[in-house]
Amino acid sequence: MKNDNIHHAEAAAAFLQDREQARWHDSAIWWVRQKRDMQAKQLPEWEQLRALAQQIKAHTLSRLDDYLLQFQANAEKNGVTVHWAADADEHNRIVHGILAAGGVKKLVKSKSMLTEECGLNPYLEQHGIEVIDTDLGERIVQLRQEPPSHIVMPAIHLKKEQISELFHRELGTEAGNNDPTYLTHAARANLREHFLTADAGLTGVNFAIAETGGVVVCTNEGNADLGTALPPIHIASMGLEKIIPRLEHLGVFTRLLARSAIGSPITTYTSHFHRARPGGQMHIVIVDNGRSDILGNDDFYQSLRCIRCGACMNTCPVYRRSTGHSYSYIIPGPIGSTLGPSRDIKKHGSMAFACTTCGSCSNVCPVKINLHEQLVLQRKRAFDAGTLKPAKKMGLLAMRFLTQHPSLMDSGGKVMRKVVPIVPESLTRHSAWSRPGRALPEMPEQSFKEMWQARQKDKKA
């Protein structure tokens, strides 16, 4: 799990010490964003799909209790056992109880941000159960004993050379062989042995359909299919917001999901699970873990529309230049920067300031969440909760005072435009705005307000 004591600005500064790695990460993520744009342009109805997805999610959240009960009833008709977990601890205890009852010693697990959120892996390992993450990216970060840095591409912060060193140490691959195909084949061979010897499989849930009681899992590697087809027990962990009303709605989201996430028309595997395999068991654990509190908040409930595509991360200039490991919450980027503070403003308040308010996250979100607006509101909550460092708090108070007194702000601007150009560099080098690699902007002769007033006078003349 993530370290809750991470302060975003400090962690980002540490990452940026390796300028080459930072530039590579930025370009790799931006390449995925560009692929998303190309896919969106190929669909004339792209904006209509986004609007429809927004409407479906808004409707579902307005009747969430009804749809959850409908889902439970239909799932149980299919022979599936449905469990309810109020928080992360209850989720982990339920999963462990299922595994213990089945005598499970090894669990193969496909990618699930919910189980990362709940800290399931260390919980089960403490109880003597071996957990193997089978998504390639998740397996890489598991072997490195670190959390994922992206919700779709968990190991995007690593170069192939780093992965080669890891696999040589952990899997016995050839030293110095950085070929991605070779490394992928080596990982698959290792994982196949775990699939064949596992006692149970666990998946996340991308969508749960109230009408049918079935769940849908989207992957590009087929690991979820193997993890549920081979072992006798299948556990699906889902956040209660993953519900959609009817099967006909699914196509809207599958057309948006992969295009937004990785710039592909669709995921390689879109797997539907309605019942256990013959002779097996299927369990669905529906988790709240603070979601009901968010649902009841008029400012932030829209964040529950998220379909976990990661598009907001791929476009965010702050995330691209700081990596997911600079965020204190398990979900990084713009969506994590509102979900984390909603869960605990004191632990995750700094995330709300990891934002330029450029609005790009809201513009690419496939379900049209007002992310940049939520982050501004989360900043106010962080300020009110006393989470800011004294210098930052004093600066904000000073700025608030200035904006409430326009004449004083005008005078201050005039002074700055005269003084800054003649201040010796030695006096400004300790400022965040003038540290090495940054240059203070040239001071204009007039402010925008002065230019605008002059133009108005010219028009009247």
Side-chain angles (χ1 to χ4, degrees):
M1 294 182 70
K2 281 285 186 75
N3 178 2
D4 290 336
N5 295 320
I6 290 175
H7 186 279
H8 181 270
E10 295 171 356
F15 173 73
L16 288 168
Q17 294 297 312
D18 188 338
R19 304 299 295 181
E20 182 181 351
Q21 180 83 352
R23 282 192 292 269
W24 176 84
H25 184 268
D26 182 20
S27 62
I29 297 291
W30 184 246
W31 176 69
V32 180
R33 158 68 205 269
Q34 290 178 310
K35 289 175 63 183
R36 174 262 178 205
D37 291 349
M38 291 173 60
Q39 287 293 331
K41 288 175 182 176
Q42 292 177 16
L43 290 183
E45 68 274 27
W46 179 257
E47 290 304 320
Q48 288 92 330
L49 282 172
R50 290 181 69 213
L52 185 55
Q54 176 192 28
Q55 293 163 12
I56 293 170
K57 279 288 189 175
H59 165 77
T60 307
L61 291 175
S62 73
R63 295 183 51 196
L64 188 59
D65 53 344
D66 294 334
Y67 284 121
L68 284 169
L69 291 174
Q70 181 185 354
F71 172 79
Q72 179 186 18
N74 288 326
E76 289 176 344
K77 286 179 184 177
N78 295 333
V80 177
T81 304
V82 178
H83 310 259
W84 297 84
D87 54 27
D89 182 62
E90 187 172 11
H91 165 268
N92 294 345
R93 285 189 283 108
I94 289 171
V95 172
H96 176 252
I98 297 167
L99 299 178
V104 172
K105 298 298 182 184
K106 180 188 288 187
L107 172 73
V108 285
K109 178 171 156 284
S110 70
K111 187 156 68 65
S112 164
M113 289 309 297
L114 175 61
T115 58
E116 294 284 352
E117 174 189 325
C118 293
L120 179 65
N121 284 21
Y123 181 91
L124 293 180
E125 289 164 356
Q126 290 169 9
H127 288 80
I129 296 175
E130 183 181 8
V131 182
I132 304 295
D133 278 304
T134 60
D135 173 88
L136 180 57
E138 286 284 345
R139 184 60 175 158
I140 290 169
V141 296
Q142 184 184 35
L143 290 173
R144 285 174 60 93
Q145 299 181 0
E146 64 185 16
S149 68
H150 191 289
I151 61 175
V152 175
M153 303 171 286
I156 191 63
H157 59 291
L158 299 171
K159 291 185 174 183
K160 61 183 180 181
E161 291 80 8
Q162 294 169 290
I163 297 170
S164 174
E165 292 175 7
L166 173 72
F167 280 11
H168 173 63
R169 183 172 67 251
E170 300 290 339
L171 305 182
T173 56
E174 298 173 9
N177 192 332
N178 302 329
D179 178 55
T181 301
Y182 167 73
L183 296 174
T184 301
H185 286 167
R188 285 179 175 171
N190 176 266
L191 286 170
R192 190 165 293 273
E193 292 300 317
H194 291 298
F195 281 121
L196 293 171
T197 55
D199 307 303
L202 185 145
T203 68
V205 172
N206 289 97
F207 306 101
I209 304 167
E211 178 184 43
T212 66
V215 297
V216 178
V217 181
C218 302
T219 68
N220 284 308
E221 299 172 23
N223 53 311
D225 291 11
L226 269 179
T228 55
L230 296 177
I233 300 174
H234 173 198
I235 303 172
S237 294
M238 62 170 274
L240 54 78
E241 80 281 11
K242 294 301 181 75
I243 288 282
I244 59 175
R246 295 194 295 275
L247 183 60
E248 67 185 82
H249 297 145
L250 180 63
V252 175
F253 295 99
T254 53
R255 297 186 75 195
L256 289 166
L257 177 61
R259 288 181 169 90
S260 298
I262 56 173
S264 296
I266 196 168
T267 50
T268 306
Y269 302 89
T270 302
S271 305
H272 297 242
F273 299 98
H274 288 90
R275 53 183 55 85
R277 61 167 238 192
Q281 306 173 34
M282 182 173 175
H283 300 260
I284 299 175
V285 186
I286 303 175
V287 184
D288 187 328
N289 202 35
R291 288 160 174 77
S292 292
D293 293 335
I294 297 175
L295 182 62
N297 190 306
D298 290 340
D299 290 329
F300 305 115
Y301 75 94
Q302 291 186 43
S303 62
L304 293 181
R305 294 206 300 255
C306 176
I307 60 173
R308 300 294 192 271
C309 68
C312 62
M313 300 173 199
N314 301 339
T315 197
C316 176
V318 177
Y319 171 86
R320 297 198 321 264
R321 291 163 176 82
S322 62
T323 80
H325 288 164
S326 64
Y327 296 79
S328 56
Y329 190 54
I330 191 65
I331 299 175
I335 184 62
S337 295
T338 187
L339 290 174
S342 289
R343 290 285 307 280
D344 191 326
I345 191 65
K346 290 190 177 294
K347 286 183 179 179
H348 307 299
S350 74
M351 290 176 63
F353 294 87
C355 173
T356 66
T357 65
C358 67
S360 186
C361 52
S362 300
N363 290 336
V364 302
C365 177
V367 288
K368 306 182 78 168
I369 302 171
N370 61 334
L371 287 165
H372 68 294
E373 295 174 351
Q374 291 195 22
L375 296 187
V376 172
L377 294 172
Q378 293 287 14
R379 290 179 180 183
K380 181 181 184 302
R381 292 184 65 235
F383 181 89
D384 293 341
T387 66
L388 275 60
K389 293 185 176 181
K392 192 178 189 78
K393 184 174 182 179
M394 291 303 296
L396 289 175
L397 287 171
M399 182 57 68
R400 183 172 71 181
F401 180 80
L402 282 174
T403 55
Q404 291 173 341
H405 298 81
S407 60
L408 185 60
M409 188 168 184
D410 293 343
S411 300
K414 289 180 180 180
V415 172
M416 290 289 289
R417 290 195 296 276
K418 299 295 183 182
V419 171
V420 170
I422 62 174
V423 173
E425 184 180 341
S426 60
L427 297 179
T428 63
R429 64 187 176 195
H430 298 296
S431 167
W433 296 105
S434 58
R435 66 182 180 224
R438 285 183 173 179
L440 286 173
E442 294 184 6
M443 293 292 109
E445 294 183 2
Q446 291 179 299
S447 68
F448 173 81
K449 183 177 180 180
E450 289 171 340
M451 289 188 288
W452 182 81
Q453 289 174 336
R455 182 170 294 185
Q456 296 306 305
K457 288 181 181 179
D458 291 341
K459 286 182 179 180
K460 293 179 180 178

